Amino acid sequence: MRYFKSDNTAAVSSEILEAIAAANDGVALAYGADRWSERLDAVFGEFFGTNVRVFAVSSGTAANSLALATFCPPWGTVLTHAEAHIERDECGAPEFFTGGAKLSLVEGAGAKIQPADLLARLAWFEPHVHGVQPRMLSITQATERGALYTPAEIRALAEIAHARGVAVHMDGARFANALVAQDVPAAELTWKSGVDVLSFGVTKNGGMNAEAVVFFDPTRVADFEFRRKRAGQLACKGRYAAVQLLAYIESGLWRRNAERANRLAGRIAAAAPGVLCEPQVTNQVFMKLGEARIASLSRDFGFYPWGPAGSGEARFVCSWDTPDEDVDALCAALSRPE
Amino acid sequence: MRYFKSDNTAAVSSEILEAIAAANDGVALAYGADRWSERLDAVFGEFFGTNVRVFAVSSGTAANSLALATFCPPWGTVLTHAEAHIERDECGAPEFFTGGAKLSLVEGAGAKIQPADLLARLAWFEPHVHGVQPRMLSITQATERGALYTPAEIRALAEIAHARGVAVHMDGARFANALVAQDVPAAELTWKSGVDVLSFGVTKNGGMNAEAVVFFDPTRVADFEFRRKRAGQLACKGRYAAVQLLAYIESGLWRRNAERANRLAGRIAAAAPGVLCEPQVTNQVFMKLGEARIASLSRDFGFYPWGPAGSGEARFVCSWDTPDEDVDALCAALSRPE
Amino acid sequence: MRYFKSDNTAAVSSEILEAIAAANDGVALAYGADRWSERLDAVFGEFFGTNVRVFAVSSGTAANSLALATFCPPWGTVLTHAEAHIERDECGAPEFFTGGAKLSLVEGAGAKIQPADLLARLAWFEPHVHGVQPRMLSITQATERGALYTPAEIRALAEIAHARGVAVHMDGARFANALVAQDVPAAELTWKSGVDVLSFGVTKNGGMNAEAVVFFDPTRVADFEFRRKRAGQLACKGRYAAVQLLAYIESGLWRRNAERANRLAGRIAAAAPGVLCEPQVTNQVFMKLGEARIASLSRDFGFYPWGPAGSGEARFVCSWDTPDEDVDALCAALSRPE
Amino acid sequence: MRYFKSDNTAAVSSEILEAIAAANDGVALAYGADRWSERLDAVFGEFFGTNVRVFAVSSGTAANSLALATFCPPWGTVLTHAEAHIERDECGAPEFFTGGAKLSLVEGAGAKIQPADLLARLAWFEPHVHGVQPRMLSITQATERGALYTPAEIRALAEIAHARGVAVHMDGARFANALVAQDVPAAELTWKSGVDVLSFGVTKNGGMNAEAVVFFDPTRVADFEFRRKRAGQLACKGRYAAVQLLAYIESGLWRRNAERANRLAGRIAAAAPGVLCEPQVTNQVFMKLGEARIASLSRDFGFYPWGPAGSGEARFVCSWDTPDEDVDALCAALSRPE
């Protein structure tokens, strides 16, 4: 079986394992007081070209939820796309971490939020105690349909949000894939365009079990560190998370891995351009294959049907270590007449 | 500086790193559907000699809090020792995960709960809606003062608890140290003596970032799995946690590492028996040294003053990888007249 | 200014004040152990023709949220209409009381949920830990657009819900208005059609500050009483809430007040049948008047514009004590050519 | 049976019922926008001699918990006496409303906290993420053992608290009793001595179902109003709560009722001075009667045994409407040789 289910099923890059081994030498202070953890701010600061505060957590769900809880009070609401991971795939984690804030949903093609739709959704909320108050916007880069927000698009959304006192979170579970696809500076995709806090995914793109939460204004970290500890997300042996994040950035692993995954996805898309139901730009490919084709392909390939039941859509995801021959095989199968 | 601050500052055993490397081969289904995660129940079941359900999480705080939340409703209370880690060192994590349950404290020498004190504390709670209801007892093995509960002691507490409908949790952050110190079957220290759920610590004793939550009645796991996901504690690439737990048990690492740490602590205790303020039986040594001695030792050794300010007490912890020469040096320093 | 903003602005019926005065005599045990509170189950049981458990709370928000929290775990979701009061007007109270459960929204004309839409929404949820699990359906009777669910309609929804393990809650803030409008037994509108728990509104229809939560299966009250106390909703002097509920039922006040309010609304609807945007069946009237007409009517009448900004819709609500002359004046104004 | 169980069992003063009846006239805007609610700040401001913000809620538990949640974050802790109502009698409401903050207990005679004990307790908390952070001190006036804090005593505690960034809450369920017992200005017992927020009890002392939360710094109300709504504590027909609070203050009812209750308690204390186990100063009397005497008195009088089982202590509470003849009878019984 050749797997295109998710980049979650990939192994860990050797750079990460080597960094872990290199740090595995003698004593290191616990709970983030080690010398690797102490370099995080500087290394990510350089990457983003600004002063940042960076914290390691063990999962993307934790990264997103802790970021949201830092900005959104229990009586607040997080505006997000109806297909967002935080809405559909985290079993209510944002609600748990925030103490019961709501997610308020916006629709939009490509799992993207458009400025007009954000404005319309914001207009629903009145500044009185009967309704929750918008406090955060969460957008996903790349989106759950593999689409991208350009810097200009982010800026348009962030301006609307900030004008209403709404902070901007970016779920960057596949941020590296988005970055290499656009080839703009990381700063342009984040703080320069108004992103206040980023969940910077590492695990899907070659890491083992570490994600970074990046605050672009070091004075607005608020009570994040208490919340992280309280959520069981402050690693005891912090060095083993820190070195994953450092190696990811410093060795250029983020770029190498994302470029390969995106490129492989491009080959898949090119093999059957007629059935693409979303433009392919990152490492995800969405195709309208029909139920029969999905069934036949499922004999040899692992992938997820997508969208509502009966849609005939499917998602194929390439990871940094998807074998070339698996892609060859999939391309051949897709090219073959049914 | 020679470190005796905590077993948290130790490195990761080579057996763990090797297990990770061995699993780092190709695709594995995410979120615990991998073939390593699927072996957890069987391997731990054999270790404990009964059917169990085992779940990996990323920290001891998460293990404890998720275990408590599975048995204790928001309007319940967890009886525990006043010095328990869940009370003092987790920033309110049990309250967070349970949705606001209370911890109700019991005093006792050696950070141990005595049956009479448990009975007295339970007698406070009346079965009416004005007060929280006791639903869980949490004991620590080994305790925060390095002491042990024998199987008979656990049984005495568990019988009292169960008679009141109170489930029994064991915080086993140092369970291996307790087990080798007593040399009884793991079953005797747990389910045969009435423990319902165990936080089985791995990280402090050679692991990297994985702990096991062990349910001894597979039918009483309740909604643990939803709570784990919702807390951001379901690892995306689950194999890398699972193999840590498997290697820990299957290679006998738990025993080797704990034996060495305990033995080193025994040497420290033997070097200055007159100042011990707790019997030394595991890998922690508590000494009443006086403030002046603490200050002078602090120049060469890293360790924590313990107890209330001015108590003159100090804690020394040995880990699996504490260098012999560090222990030699500490023993020499302790033996030296002031 | 003549008021049609809400039945919340009404005064309290004399029957309620008299019942309070009659109970205001000497000592009564606190926290619901008084002789009035103890009659609640019997009196409501007779009203509904079955064994019930009834609890008084101080607000409709508390009634709804406590009912939901009794059936829906933190990792669950409550299916409800997008216009439901619990979604729009309670500042996230359901999320607070449940410990962070989600509301999942269903659209539908008249703020009613249709069986096909319920089925479609339920089909979204998969039985795995990545998503919240449907545990409750909440429907409003009469709806936020003044519409009714017939017994057959309730039954159709409840059968779908129960088949999925989903309990059925009815938000009956205007239950009396719905009951007199349909002229069916209360049993038919509730438990006989599958309703598990009802928020039975009293305040809007002549009460002062008491609402009833009615459980139709006395064995499924679960931990409601602990949750009520913990939420500050167990009245210290319980008799003053209990007598409101008793008087409401026993004196037939529920019927008299609701009949009058509905009848007045009927007169308003009849004055301008051409602009009705919802059928008028209870005490709410929804009209498409256009912005200019709304502005001119607002000079003499208090009412709310309704729907999205610029819709030109308005809501007029009659209460048990709306003066006839206010209705006359409104009818005259509506009949007058613009 | 003559009742001395609690002031909760009392009826409602006629001044309160009359105020309700007087307000029961026609339309009033809902949710606190009525003309009575709008007078609350001014009337309580005059009472306390400073600018205040005042909010009505339906119970003392709600008043306390909402006040605490406004100042104490989920990762904070509220220091309070081990016998405090918020610790023992509210079923974990503070933990629920705060999102899981902890209560940290201080012992002390008379259920009073002494400055040295507060200092010692505060010294436990270290400013790191491993432990909860002290954010609030809650003291009860009069205490759960009927004792008083003088202005100087409050000031001493508040200075310690404020120096640590800890806000001061006063649980004034029996504030009026404390005020008339000390005969000092209300300002001296509150803001002039450092109290930041007061739960001002009305229900026990002649009210029906309304309590006031009084903020002494109008700029520090923070998100109280959102939390109140979200907790189901914003009354729909707000006027009926507001007029209770207004009548309580403006008619001098607080003083008349408290003076009578205190005076009756004084007669009871004087009847058996030798068995008093706490000085009697307010409307509560604590006596060490022995189990046999408690049993015999229980035949004719309703009252609570107090303290730990077997202590032989009992509590007698007088309310504003305790009949003189009941007090006569109790005094006679107490004077009688056993």
Side-chain angles (χ1 to χ4, degrees):
Chain A
M1 183 74 81
R2 303 172 191 276
Y3 269 94
F4 297 89
K5 285 206 163 186
S6 176
D7 24 19
N8 285 342
T9 60
V12 172
S13 290
S14 57
E15 291 89 338
I16 297 289
L17 290 182
E18 287 157 14
I20 287 173
N24 196 46
D25 181 24
V27 161
L29 290 180
Y31 297 117
D34 61 90
R35 60 191 170 91
W36 297 274
S37 297
E38 287 176 346
R39 290 183 57 228
L40 287 171
D41 287 356
V43 168
F44 279 78
E46 189 173 5
F47 183 79
F48 283 106
T50 189
N51 287 330
V52 299
R53 293 293 309 279
V54 180
F55 303 97
V57 297
S58 77
S59 72
T61 294
N64 289 337
S65 295
L66 284 169
L68 299 178
T70 302
F71 288 94
C72 187
W75 41 269
T77 187
V78 178
L79 285 88
T80 197
H81 195 277
E83 298 179 38
H85 199 267
I86 60 172
E87 165 67 12
R88 294 216 175 153
D89 299 304
E90 300 187 351
C91 199
E95 289 82 356
F96 174 46
F97 281 76
T98 57
K102 291 176 82 79
L103 302 194
S104 296
L105 307 181
V106 183
E107 303 282 346
K112 283 179 69 174
I113 296 177
Q114 298 300 330
D117 297 321
L118 176 60
L119 273 170
R121 194 70 184 85
L122 281 167
W124 270 102
F125 300 100
E126 295 182 73
H128 59 207
V129 299
H130 299 278
V132 292
Q133 301 298 307
R135 287 303 174 103
M136 199 150 212
L137 167 68
S138 179
I139 58 176
T140 308
Q141 176 83 310
T143 77
E144 289 76 9
R145 302 285 287 189
L148 298 173
Y149 287 98
T150 65
E153 287 172 332
I154 298 167
R155 199 169 300 124
L157 294 171
E159 278 171 10
I160 292 167
H162 290 158
R164 281 286 297 260
V166 170
V168 179
H169 169 249
M170 178 173 278
D171 177 354
R174 296 187 179 97
F175 183 72
N177 302 89
L179 197 48
V180 303
Q182 300 209 48
D183 198 22
V184 293
E188 291 293 330
L189 276 195
T190 54
W191 64 277
K192 283 195 177 170
S193 300
V195 173
D196 296 297
V197 61
L198 168 71
S199 299
F200 192 158
V202 173
T203 306
K204 281 180 160 69
N205 194 36
M208 183 189 294
N209 50 21
E211 306 277 298
V213 181
V214 183
F215 287 86
F216 293 104
D217 180 345
T219 68
R220 290 175 69 206
V221 171
D223 55 7
F224 178 89
E225 291 178 272
F226 287 106
R227 291 184 182 272
R228 178 175 59 158
K229 170 63 191 175
R230 180 176 175 78
Q233 287 289 344
L234 177 60
C236 164
K237 296 182 173 177
R239 56 178 142 172
Y240 300 101
V243 296
Q244 293 183 54
L245 306 190
L246 295 175
Y248 189 64
I249 298 297
E250 294 190 304
S251 78
L253 183 64
W254 67 272
R255 178 185 293 277
R256 287 192 299 284
N257 280 352
E259 280 176 349
R260 181 169 191 273
N262 287 6
R263 191 169 59 239
L264 296 180
R267 289 179 50 207
I268 296 170
V275 295
L276 286 179
C277 49
E278 300 284 348
Q280 178 275 322
V281 283
T282 58
N283 64 323
Q284 301 183 75
V285 187
F286 294 84
M287 291 178 165
K288 192 167 188 80
L289 296 171
E291 298 298 323
R293 193 75 189 276
I294 286 174
S296 78
L297 282 170
S298 295
R299 284 194 292 271
D300 297 315
F301 301 94
F303 61 94
Y304 284 115
W306 211 250
S311 69
E313 294 182 23
R315 185 188 77 164
F316 300 86
V317 185
C318 294
S319 67
W320 71 273
D321 68 348
T322 301
D324 278 307
E325 64 192 39
D326 286 5
V327 175
D328 294 341
L330 178 58
C331 289
L334 287 168
S335 312
R336 214 172 295 143
E338 278 178 275
Chain B
M1 184 73 81
R2 303 174 190 278
Y3 269 93
F4 296 89
K5 286 206 162 185
S6 176
D7 24 17
N8 284 341
T9 59
V12 173
S13 290
S14 58
E15 291 89 338
I16 297 289
L17 290 183
E18 287 157 14
I20 287 173
N24 196 45
D25 181 26
V27 160
L29 289 180
Y31 298 116
D34 60 273
R35 60 192 169 89
W36 297 273
S37 297
E38 286 176 347
R39 289 183 56 228
L40 286 171
D41 288 355
V43 169
F44 279 77
E46 189 174 4
F47 182 80
F48 284 106
T50 189
N51 287 330
V52 300
R53 293 293 308 281
V54 180
F55 303 97
V57 295
S58 77
S59 72
T61 294
N64 289 337
S65 296
L66 285 169
L68 299 178
T70 303
F71 287 94
C72 188
W75 42 269
T77 186
V78 179
L79 285 87
T80 197
H81 195 278
E83 299 179 38
H85 199 268
I86 59 171
E87 166 65 13
R88 294 215 175 153
D89 299 304
E90 300 187 350
C91 200
E95 290 82 356
F96 174 47
F97 280 77
T98 57
K102 291 175 82 78
L103 303 193
S104 296
L105 306 181
V106 183
E107 302 282 346
K112 282 180 68 175
I113 296 177
Q114 298 300 331
D117 296 322
L118 176 61
L119 274 170
R121 193 73 184 82
L122 280 167
W124 270 102
F125 300 100
E126 295 182 73
H128 59 207
V129 298
H130 300 279
V132 292
Q133 301 298 305
R135 286 304 174 101
M136 198 151 214
L137 167 68
S138 178
I139 57 177
T140 309
Q141 178 81 310
T143 76
E144 289 78 8
R145 302 283 289 188
L148 297 173
Y149 287 97
T150 66
E153 288 173 331
I154 299 167
R155 198 170 300 122
L157 294 171
E159 278 171 10
I160 292 167
H162 290 158
R164 282 286 298 261
V166 169
V168 179
H169 168 250
M170 178 172 279
D171 177 353
R174 296 187 178 97
F175 184 71
N177 302 88
L179 198 48
V180 302
Q182 301 208 48
D183 199 22
V184 294
E188 290 293 329
L189 276 195
T190 54
W191 63 278
K192 283 195 177 169
S193 299
V195 173
D196 296 298
V197 61
L198 168 71
S199 299
F200 193 156
V202 173
T203 306
K204 281 181 161 66
N205 193 36
M208 183 189 295
N209 49 22
E211 307 276 298
V213 181
V214 184
F215 287 86
F216 293 104
D217 181 344
T219 68
R220 291 174 68 205
V221 170
D223 55 7
F224 178 89
E225 291 179 271
F226 287 107
R227 292 184 181 274
R228 178 174 60 158
K229 171 63 192 175
R230 179 175 174 78
Q233 286 288 345
L234 177 60
C236 163
K237 295 182 172 176
R239 55 177 143 170
Y240 300 99
V243 295
Q244 294 183 53
L245 305 190
L246 295 175
Y248 189 65
I249 298 299
E250 294 190 303
S251 78
L253 183 65
W254 67 272
R255 179 184 292 280
R256 286 191 303 282
N257 279 354
E259 280 177 347
R260 181 167 191 276
N262 287 7
R263 190 168 61 240
L264 295 180
R267 289 180 50 209
I268 296 170
V275 296
L276 286 179
C277 50
E278 301 284 348
Q280 177 275 322
V281 284
T282 57
N283 64 323
Q284 301 184 75
V285 188
F286 294 85
M287 292 179 165
K288 192 170 188 78
L289 296 171
E291 298 297 323
R293 193 75 189 276
I294 286 174
S296 77
L297 282 169
S298 295
R299 284 194 293 271
D300 297 317
F301 302 94
F303 62 94
Y304 284 115
W306 212 250
S311 68
E313 293 182 24
R315 186 187 77 164
F316 299 86
V317 185
C318 294
S319 67
W320 72 274
D321 69 348
T322 301
D324 278 306
E325 62 192 38
D326 286 4
V327 175
D328 294 341
L330 178 59
C331 290
L334 287 167
S335 311
R336 214 171 296 143
E338 277 178 274
Chain C
M1 184 73 81
R2 303 172 191 278
Y3 268 93
F4 296 89
K5 285 206 163 187
S6 175
D7 25 18
N8 284 341
T9 60
V12 173
S13 289
S14 57
E15 290 89 338
I16 297 288
L17 290 182
E18 286 158 12
I20 287 173
N24 195 48
D25 182 25
V27 160
L29 290 180
Y31 297 116
D34 60 273
R35 62 190 169 89
W36 296 274
S37 297
E38 287 176 346
R39 290 183 57 228
L40 286 171
D41 287 356
V43 168
F44 279 78
E46 188 173 5
F47 182 79
F48 283 106
T50 190
N51 287 330
V52 298
R53 294 293 308 279
V54 180
F55 303 97
V57 295
S58 78
S59 72
T61 294
N64 289 337
S65 296
L66 284 168
L68 299 178
T70 302
F71 287 93
C72 187
W75 42 268
T77 186
V78 179
L79 285 88
T80 197
H81 195 278
E83 298 180 38
H85 199 267
I86 60 171
E87 165 67 11
R88 295 217 174 151
D89 300 303
E90 300 187 351
C91 199
E95 290 83 355
F96 174 47
F97 281 76
T98 57
K102 290 176 82 77
L103 303 193
S104 296
L105 306 181
V106 183
E107 303 282 346
K112 284 180 68 173
I113 296 176
Q114 298 300 330
D117 297 321
L118 176 60
L119 273 169
R121 195 70 184 84
L122 281 168
W124 270 102
F125 300 100
E126 294 182 74
H128 59 205
V129 299
H130 299 278
V132 293
Q133 301 297 307
R135 287 302 174 103
M136 198 150 214
L137 168 67
S138 179
I139 57 177
T140 308
Q141 178 82 309
T143 77
E144 289 75 9
R145 301 284 289 188
L148 298 173
Y149 287 97
T150 66
E153 288 173 330
I154 298 167
R155 198 170 301 123
L157 294 172
E159 279 171 10
I160 293 167
H162 290 159
R164 282 285 298 261
V166 170
V168 179
H169 168 249
M170 179 173 278
D171 177 354
R174 295 187 179 97
F175 183 72
N177 302 89
L179 198 47
V180 302
Q182 300 210 47
D183 199 22
V184 293
E188 290 293 330
L189 275 196
T190 54
W191 63 277
K192 283 195 176 169
S193 300
V195 173
D196 297 297
V197 61
L198 169 70
S199 299
F200 193 158
V202 173
T203 306
K204 281 180 160 67
N205 193 38
M208 183 189 294
N209 49 22
E211 307 276 299
V213 180
V214 184
F215 287 87
F216 293 105
D217 181 344
T219 69
R220 290 175 68 206
V221 170
D223 56 7
F224 179 88
E225 292 179 271
F226 287 106
R227 291 183 181 274
R228 178 174 61 158
K229 170 63 192 175
R230 179 176 176 77
Q233 286 288 344
L234 177 61
C236 162
K237 295 182 172 176
R239 56 177 142 170
Y240 300 100
V243 296
Q244 293 183 54
L245 305 189
L246 295 175
Y248 189 65
I249 299 298
E250 295 190 304
S251 79
L253 182 65
W254 67 272
R255 180 185 291 279
R256 287 192 301 283
N257 279 353
E259 281 177 347
R260 182 168 189 275
N262 288 6
R263 192 168 59 241
L264 296 180
R267 288 180 50 208
I268 295 170
V275 294
L276 287 179
C277 49
E278 300 284 348
Q280 177 275 323
V281 283
T282 58
N283 64 323
Q284 300 183 76
V285 188
F286 294 84
M287 292 179 165
K288 193 169 189 76
L289 295 172
E291 298 298 324
R293 193 76 189 276
I294 286 174
S296 77
L297 281 169
S298 294
R299 284 193 293 270
D300 297 316
F301 302 94
F303 61 94
Y304 284 116
W306 211 249
S311 70
E313 294 183 25
R315 186 188 78 163
F316 300 86
V317 185
C318 295
S319 68
W320 72 273
D321 68 349
T322 301
D324 278 307
E325 63 193 39
D326 286 4
V327 175
D328 294 341
L330 178 59
C331 290
L334 287 167
S335 312
R336 215 171 295 142
E338 279 179 273
Chain D
M1 184 72 80
R2 303 172 192 278
Y3 269 94
F4 296 89
K5 286 207 163 186
S6 175
D7 24 18
N8 285 340
T9 60
V12 173
S13 290
S14 57
E15 290 89 337
I16 297 289
L17 291 182
E18 286 158 13
I20 287 173
N24 195 48
D25 181 26
V27 160
L29 289 180
Y31 297 116
D34 61 272
R35 60 189 169 91
W36 297 273
S37 297
E38 287 177 344
R39 289 184 57 228
L40 286 171
D41 288 355
V43 167
F44 279 78
E46 188 173 7
F47 182 79
F48 284 106
T50 190
N51 287 330
V52 299
R53 293 293 309 279
V54 180
F55 302 98
V57 296
S58 79
S59 72
T61 294
N64 289 336
S65 296
L66 285 169
L68 299 178
T70 303
F71 287 93
C72 188
W75 42 270
T77 186
V78 179
L79 285 87
T80 197
H81 195 278
E83 299 180 37
H85 199 267
I86 59 171
E87 165 67 11
R88 294 214 176 154
D89 300 303
E90 300 188 350
C91 200
E95 289 84 354
F96 173 47
F97 281 76
T98 57
K102 291 177 81 77
L103 303 194
S104 296
L105 307 181
V106 184
E107 303 282 346
K112 283 179 69 174
I113 296 177
Q114 298 300 331
D117 297 322
L118 176 60
L119 273 170
R121 194 71 184 84
L122 280 168
W124 270 102
F125 299 100
E126 295 182 74
H128 58 207
V129 298
H130 299 278
V132 292
Q133 301 298 307
R135 286 304 175 100
M136 199 152 213
L137 167 69
S138 179
I139 57 176
T140 309
Q141 177 84 307
T143 77
E144 289 76 9
R145 302 284 289 188
L148 298 174
Y149 287 97
T150 65
E153 289 173 330
I154 298 167
R155 198 169 301 123
L157 294 172
E159 279 171 9
I160 293 167
H162 290 158
R164 283 284 299 260
V166 170
V168 180
H169 169 249
M170 178 173 277
D171 177 354
R174 295 185 180 99
F175 183 71
N177 301 90
L179 197 49
V180 304
Q182 300 208 49
D183 199 21
V184 293
E188 290 292 330
L189 276 195
T190 54
W191 63 278
K192 282 194 177 170
S193 300
V195 173
D196 296 300
V197 61
L198 169 71
S199 298
F200 193 156
V202 172
T203 306
K204 282 181 159 67
N205 194 36
M208 184 189 293
N209 49 21
E211 307 275 298
V213 180
V214 183
F215 287 86
F216 293 105
D217 180 345
T219 68
R220 290 175 67 205
V221 171
D223 56 7
F224 179 90
E225 291 178 272
F226 287 106
R227 292 184 181 274
R228 178 174 61 159
K229 171 62 192 175
R230 180 175 174 78
Q233 287 287 344
L234 177 61
C236 163
K237 295 181 172 177
R239 56 177 143 172
Y240 301 100
V243 296
Q244 294 183 54
L245 305 190
L246 295 175
Y248 189 64
I249 298 298
E250 295 191 302
S251 79
L253 183 65
W254 66 274
R255 179 184 293 279
R256 286 192 301 282
N257 279 354
E259 281 177 346
R260 183 168 189 274
N262 287 6
R263 191 168 60 240
L264 295 179
R267 289 180 49 207
I268 295 170
V275 297
L276 286 180
C277 50
E278 299 285 348
Q280 177 276 322
V281 283
T282 58
N283 65 323
Q284 301 183 75
V285 188
F286 294 85
M287 292 179 166
K288 192 167 189 80
L289 295 172
E291 298 298 325
R293 193 76 190 275
I294 286 175
S296 78
L297 281 170
S298 294
R299 285 195 291 272
D300 297 318
F301 302 94
F303 61 95
Y304 284 115
W306 211 250
S311 70
E313 294 182 22
R315 186 188 77 163
F316 299 86
V317 185
C318 294
S319 68
W320 73 273
D321 70 347
T322 301
D324 278 306
E325 63 192 38
D326 286 4
V327 175
D328 294 340
L330 177 58
C331 289
L334 287 168
S335 313
R336 215 172 293 140
E338 278 179 272

